[in-house]
Amino acid sequence: MNDRLPLRQQLGRALREHGRAAALIAATVGAVALLFAFDAGWLDPRRLTPAKIANALEAHDGLHEGFRRAHAKGVCFVGHFDANGEGVRLSKARVFAAGRSSLIGRFSTGGGQPYSPDGRLVFHAMALSITAANGEQWRTGMDDTPVFPVATPQAFLDFQVATQPDANGKPDPAKVAAYLQAHPETRAFMQWLKDHPLPSSFANGTYYSINAFRFINAQGDSHFVRWSSLPETPFAAIDKDRLATLDHDFLFDDVRTRITHGPLRWHLLLTLAKDGDPTNNATKQWPDDRESVDVGTLSIERVASEEDSPCRDLNFDPLILPPGIAASGDPLLAARSAVYSTSFTRRASEGPQPSAQAPAIHDAAQNGNRSKP
Amino acid sequence: MNPHTEHFVLPARLLHWTMALMIIAMLFIGAAMVSTVSTAHSTLVAWHRPIGSAILLLVLLRIVVRLRHPPPALPSDIPAWQRHAARLSHWLLYALMIAMPLIGWAMLAAGGYPVQIFSTLRLPPIAPHDLHLYTVLHRLHTYLAYLFLLTVLMHLAAAMFHGLIRKDGVFRSMAS
């Protein structure tokens, strides 16, 4: 082969002499590229991507740069979890061995609007990142309702799209009605909100794991579990008819005031499924008589604005689990993990914003970090 | 034409083909896992980390093997531009094999994620928890993945060019 020939002539000659080989090379490279395009979803416009759900959340509540796409309005807290050792028979996770783990968490209201009034949506959330003595991390995002409005990622997307406000700022009633007609589980969730008294404070709410998880103990036995945190603060119900008249930040002001009087505590309960209980459907409750094990106490000692606390920069991905806790077959879990990650990456790139919650009482809360006032 | 008969040593060939499969798998796993909310997402994430860690270990071993056993020289009649392209693309492939796992590792650390490789192995953070750094690393990991794919495709085309058109023994030096 003559390497003095210019490239074009060389290629031309190669093609004449080696047409079939050149075609085979092009076909092979093209096939790999095509496979990759299919794999990445570029040829599949119907694939339910995390970006589609994040986009729907942004369309629903507006794009608020730097904030979480859901549960945008929140406040951080720090504290610890004291395990009593009862959880060891269900999970080998170190966090359940008698002893103390540290925690960072976040209270939030629902929705993607960081400056919305606290009465806008009645459901609240508690997110936790618990770090055991050996460094194992357990993150969870819990809601104060035992059931979730949708069972699948597709239904979640459809719900967001159907309830998206149009030009006049309200969802189209026809779309909402059509969605609800097709989703009895969402109607059941709304009915649950109507029928049950709802907590008046972050401090007196019970928070639920939303999804079921698989717990694995040191012997390798596995159980399906849902967990919940039960407040020591006595329950008081919010007046659902007067939500619009409540102060703009009544929930956040309340928790920052309460913490100055001492730590807030919850008992962490593991509830065991029996055979036949749904473990892959977050819209279905388990019967009330299922065994619950109190595995320890969550104590919140300090509340801080997001800007001053590491919770702002954490993704409370429910699949960040220690060995001894694993995902169930609930399709929402992988979707939450994927969408939270997209939301996290987007808000990180936008430059995380200071919290919508000014640290007004923050200094008082820090100074009030003692067991009793 | 002067087909050369030298081969890469057996460990180099084993490492090449094992890593080739792993790297292509990683590119496909990575692209798929960020494109779906299905349960495949969590399964693929769970594969991505151990395979990436293994690639980092294997490329270190591969560098040792390469330093001890320099690869056979290219045939002397290869045009200079192809020689340069070969050298550049191999440097790039090695750089990416080292950089991609390290960037992925640092990216998780910068995002405040535990670097859980599999349930019993957690690596220490190699970067501070910092969302600006996370953003830079996340973009790098993404763009370098596309560069990696393009480089692998060029490498594949060049290997087939040697094997099917030039028939100069270069392909055989790795293939058999």
Side-chain angles (χ1 to χ4, degrees):
Chain A
M1 193 175 277
N2 188 345
D3 65 341
R4 298 285 171 252
L5 283 176
L7 173 58
R8 256 172 60 196
Q9 287 182 31
Q10 270 198 36
L11 280 178
R13 202 171 88 184
L15 271 181
R16 276 193 307 281
E17 289 175 14
H18 307 285
R20 285 180 61 182
L24 183 60
I25 295 172
T28 307
V29 172
V32 178
L34 198 67
L35 266 176
F36 185 84
F38 175 78
D39 171 81
W42 299 339
L43 306 177
D44 183 6
R46 285 182 314 168
R47 186 176 300 182
L48 189 45
T49 64
K52 274 186 195 169
I53 293 184
N55 292 346
L57 289 166
E58 288 172 8
H60 191 281
D61 277 344
L63 170 59
H64 303 281
E65 289 201 346
F67 287 96
R68 290 168 206 266
R69 270 36 179 177
H71 294 276
K73 186 177 184 182
V75 72
C76 296
F77 56 75
V78 290
H80 56 260
F81 172 64
D82 288 310
N84 58 20
E86 293 295 321
V88 171
R89 70 179 173 93
L90 293 172
S91 170
K92 64 186 175 193
R94 175 66 178 271
V95 66
F96 296 117
R100 179 164 285 195
S101 301
S102 64
L103 68 84
I104 298 171
R106 187 171 180 270
F107 288 120
S108 61
T109 49
Q113 297 180 4
Y115 301 105
S116 64
D118 291 351
R120 175 177 172 250
L121 292 167
V122 284
F123 57 93
H124 317 146
M126 172 197 262
L128 298 175
S129 173
I130 306 179
T131 304
N134 64 354
E136 287 175 6
Q137 283 196 28
W138 177 20
R139 295 193 190 168
T140 174
M142 301 180 283
D143 283 347
D144 69 350
T145 54
V147 283
F148 201 64
V150 294
T152 64
Q154 184 64 52
F156 184 85
L157 178 65
D158 295 346
F159 188 33
Q160 293 301 318
V161 171
T163 57
Q164 184 181 319
D166 58 18
N168 63 22
K170 298 242 184 243
D172 178 349
K175 284 186 188 163
V176 177
Y179 170 85
L180 289 176
Q181 181 62 33
H183 290 276
E185 73 282 13
T186 311
R187 295 203 302 274
F189 173 81
M190 293 165 81
Q191 194 60 44
W192 192 96
L193 287 181
K194 277 201 188 102
D195 292 348
H196 291 77
L198 299 171
S200 63
S201 160
F202 284 126
N204 62 23
T206 300
Y207 299 90
Y208 302 88
S209 63
I210 305 175
N211 312 100
F213 291 80
R214 210 158 47 83
F215 276 49
I216 306 110
N217 66 15
Q219 290 75 46
D221 307 325
S222 81
H223 297 86
F224 283 105
V225 162
R226 282 172 169 170
W227 60 79
S228 52
S229 51
L230 208 69
E232 283 191 355
T233 310
F235 180 81
I238 197 165
D239 183 348
K240 286 184 239 178
D241 299 326
R242 293 187 54 250
L243 286 172
T245 67
L246 295 168
D247 281 351
H248 190 272
D249 295 325
F250 74 94
L251 281 172
F252 293 95
D253 292 342
D254 167 82
V255 75
R256 283 185 296 214
T257 307
R258 283 178 192 261
I259 200 73
T260 61
H261 301 298
L264 297 167
R265 294 196 182 88
W266 282 259
H267 289 266
L268 185 63
L269 266 58
L270 305 183
T271 302
L272 279 70
K274 280 195 171 163
D275 285 347
D277 287 347
T279 56
N280 58 2
N281 188 334
T283 67
K284 297 263 191 284
Q285 272 187 276
W286 294 343
D288 284 338
D289 63 355
R290 292 297 177 257
E291 181 191 357
S292 278
V293 186
D294 182 340
V295 296
T297 310
L298 299 160
S299 301
I300 293 174
E301 284 147 349
R302 196 158 64 78
V303 172
S305 86
E306 289 195 88
E307 131 185 70
D308 308 349
S309 154
C311 102
R312 183 195 62 190
D313 294 348
L314 286 184
N315 171 3
F316 292 98
D317 177 342
L319 288 184
I320 295 179
L321 298 167
I325 307 180
S328 65
D330 188 333
L332 286 183
L333 278 171
R336 288 177 70 192
S337 183
V339 178
Y340 287 22
S341 173
T342 298
S343 163
F344 179 76
T345 301
R346 286 187 184 183
R347 68 187 178 87
S349 76
E350 293 154 0
Q353 297 292 314
S355 168
Q357 282 300 302
I361 312 179
H362 164 60
D363 292 338
Q366 238 178 356
N367 297 335
N369 183 13
R370 49 186 183 254
S371 54
K372 291 288 166 212
Chain B
M1 200 172 290
N2 173 28
H4 68 166
T5 47
E6 272 189 274
H7 278 75
F8 282 86
V9 294
L10 182 64
R13 278 178 281 155
L14 285 176
L15 281 164
H16 169 270
W17 290 105
T18 310
M19 292 187 71
L21 279 177
M22 292 169 83
I23 289 165
I24 291 168
M26 279 298 271
L27 292 167
F28 276 73
I29 289 169
M33 78 187 192
V34 296
S35 78
T36 179
V37 299
S38 74
T39 50
H41 169 81
S42 38
T43 308
L44 293 173
V45 171
W47 290 350
H48 198 75
R49 293 179 187 175
I51 300 176
S53 313
I55 288 175
L56 181 58
L57 287 177
L58 289 178
V59 74
L60 298 177
L61 181 62
R62 191 167 172 184
I63 289 169
V64 172
V65 170
R66 193 181 173 102
L67 291 175
R68 287 192 168 186
H69 306 279
L74 287 173
S76 53
D77 64 346
I78 286 201
W81 73 270
Q82 289 181 20
R83 199 175 289 278
H84 290 314
R87 185 181 303 134
L88 186 71
S89 64
H90 285 99
W91 271 104
L92 191 56
L93 285 168
Y94 271 90
L96 289 168
M97 283 187 277
I98 298 164
M100 283 297 276
L102 288 174
I103 293 170
W105 182 356
M107 178 185 93
L108 287 177
Y113 292 100
V115 190
Q116 202 77 39
I117 302 305
F118 34 84
S119 72
T120 47
L121 176 65
R122 189 180 59 248
L123 298 181
I126 53 166
H129 183 184
D130 176 333
L131 295 204
H132 293 294
L133 181 61
Y134 168 80
T135 299
V136 171
L137 295 170
H138 186 271
R139 286 184 183 155
L140 262 181
H141 202 69
T142 307
Y143 297 141
L144 291 182
Y146 293 125
L147 179 64
F148 211 159
L149 178 70
L150 289 176
T151 317
V152 165
L153 289 178
M154 274 168 39
H155 181 80
L156 170 65
M160 291 180 78
F161 172 67
H162 283 286
L164 297 174
I165 294 177
R166 278 187 57 98
K167 299 187 176 118
D168 56 5
V170 170
F171 180 74
R172 215 171 47 240
S173 70
M174 182 54 90
S176 61

